[in-house]
């Protein structure tokens, strides 16, 4: 029987992965290539000796969530991400921002946590965005 007070949540000695870790790994494997992959091909690119059925389950869940498309191949499917990694991350960031009740506070905290290099990049990107608005006559 497990000791509930031990604080062993997702990971650690039990060998269980954190929630979403498998999905992230599968997406990373798919983003790393320019073509759809079968479950077997995804399995070969993942560490940790996962079961084939586990990879199939993760691929099916990601497909059901609308994150993957699948193409018939032989007796199964090959899977490809709907969005590239940058687009997917941007969608997630936007979704998190929408959940907050105080957008200004969330954005302020986000900017305050940026490295100096990322802050300079953000300033440059915002400057380019503003310049594009004026070029379009807005």
């Amino acid at each position: 029987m497990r000791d509930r007070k031990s604080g062993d949540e997702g990971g650690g000695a039990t060998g269980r992965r954190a929630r979403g870790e498998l999905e992230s790994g599968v997406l990373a494997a798919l983003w790393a290539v320019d073509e759809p992959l079968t479950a077997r091909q995804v399995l070969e690119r993942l560490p940790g000796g996962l079961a084939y059925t586990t990879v199939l389950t993760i691929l099916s869940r990601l497909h059901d969530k609308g994150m993957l498309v699948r193409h018939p191949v032989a007796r199964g499917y090959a899977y490809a991400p709907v969005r590239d990694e940058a687009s997917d991350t941007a969608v997630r960031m936007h979704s998190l921002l929408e959940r907050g009740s105080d957008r200004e506070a969330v954005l302020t905290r986000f900017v305050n946590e940026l490295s100096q290099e990322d802050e300079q990049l953000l300033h440059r990107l915002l400057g380019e965005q503003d310049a594009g608005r004026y070029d379009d006559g807005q």
Side-chain angles (χ1 to χ4, degrees):
M1 191 175 210
R2 269 175 55 202
D3 179 8
R4 293 182 186 265
K5 294 179 184 176
S6 69
D8 189 16
E9 301 280 330
T14 65
R16 293 191 54 95
R17 290 172 177 79
R19 190 176 136 219
E21 188 177 335
L22 284 176
E23 288 184 358
S24 296
V26 166
L27 284 168
L30 291 166
W31 283 324
V33 297
D34 292 329
E35 60 189 13
L37 298 176
T38 65
R40 178 76 52 206
Q41 291 169 320
V42 171
L43 176 63
E44 292 168 357
R45 288 165 171 76
L46 295 174
L50 295 171
Y52 176 77
T53 54
T54 300
V55 174
L56 273 177
T57 299
I58 298 302
L59 288 166
S60 293
R61 286 181 182 167
L62 288 169
H63 176 262
D64 291 345
K65 291 179 181 182
M67 298 179 75
L68 300 179
V69 293
R70 63 184 182 193
H71 311 279
V73 174
R75 296 185 302 163
Y77 295 101
Y79 295 84
V82 170
R83 293 182 290 268
D84 63 29
E85 185 176 11
S87 297
D88 185 69
T89 301
V91 166
R92 290 175 192 230
M93 291 170 67
H94 190 265
S95 174
L96 288 171
L97 182 60
E98 289 295 317
R99 283 194 245 160
S101 60
D102 186 347
R103 292 175 77 93
E104 183 175 348
V106 172
L107 287 169
T108 299
R109 296 256 172 102
F110 176 75
V111 170
N112 287 338
E113 295 295 322
L114 292 175
S115 69
Q116 185 173 359
E117 294 81 18
D118 285 343
E119 188 173 345
Q120 290 171 352
L121 175 59
L122 184 58
H123 278 290
R124 182 176 61 79
L125 292 171
L126 289 171
E128 290 173 5
Q129 188 75 22
D130 286 343
R133 285 188 184 137
Y134 295 123
D135 291 346
D136 292 343
Q138 293 180 357

